[in-house]
């Protein structure tokens, strides 16, 4: 587990920030979180998503067009 960043080094984003970054609605981000496609931490009544998880999701979802 030497490669994993320490918790203090993880940059967490709000759902609104993730939606803006991915250019989708906040509802789409909530759906991805609830479906388990995008990992998130619940803080009170809101969610925080690790920034690296957003980049990983986008990298895996990327498809090139012909």
């Amino acid at each position: 587990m030497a490669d994993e960043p320490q918790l203090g080094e993880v940059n967490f984003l709000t759902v609104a920030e993730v939606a803006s970054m991915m250019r989708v609605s906040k509802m789409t981000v909530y759906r991805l979180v609830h479906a388990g496609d995008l990992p998130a931490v619940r803080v009170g009544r809101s969610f925080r998503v690790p920034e690296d998880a957003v980049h990983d999701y986008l990298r895996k979802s990327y498809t090139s067009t012909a």
Side-chain angles (χ1 to χ4, degrees), residues 1-12 50-53 56:
M1 307 239 182
D3 329 1
E4 291 186 20
Q6 295 296 319
L7 193 56
E9 298 171 358
V10 177
N11 187 25
F12 289 98
E51 187 173 15
D52 289 345
D56 289 343

Side-chain angles (χ1 to χ4, degrees), residues 10-29 32 38-39 48-59 61-62:
V10 177
N11 187 25
F12 289 98
L13 303 172
T14 64
V15 168
E17 291 171 328
V18 174
S20 175
M21 181 185 285
M22 294 176 67
R23 291 191 166 92
V24 297
S25 71
K26 291 192 297 184
M27 186 54 66
T28 299
V29 177
L32 290 170
L38 195 59
R48 296 293 185 270
V49 181
E51 187 173 15
D52 289 345
V54 176
H55 293 295
D56 289 343
Y57 177 82
L58 291 173
R59 208 173 293 116
S61 301
Y62 180 80

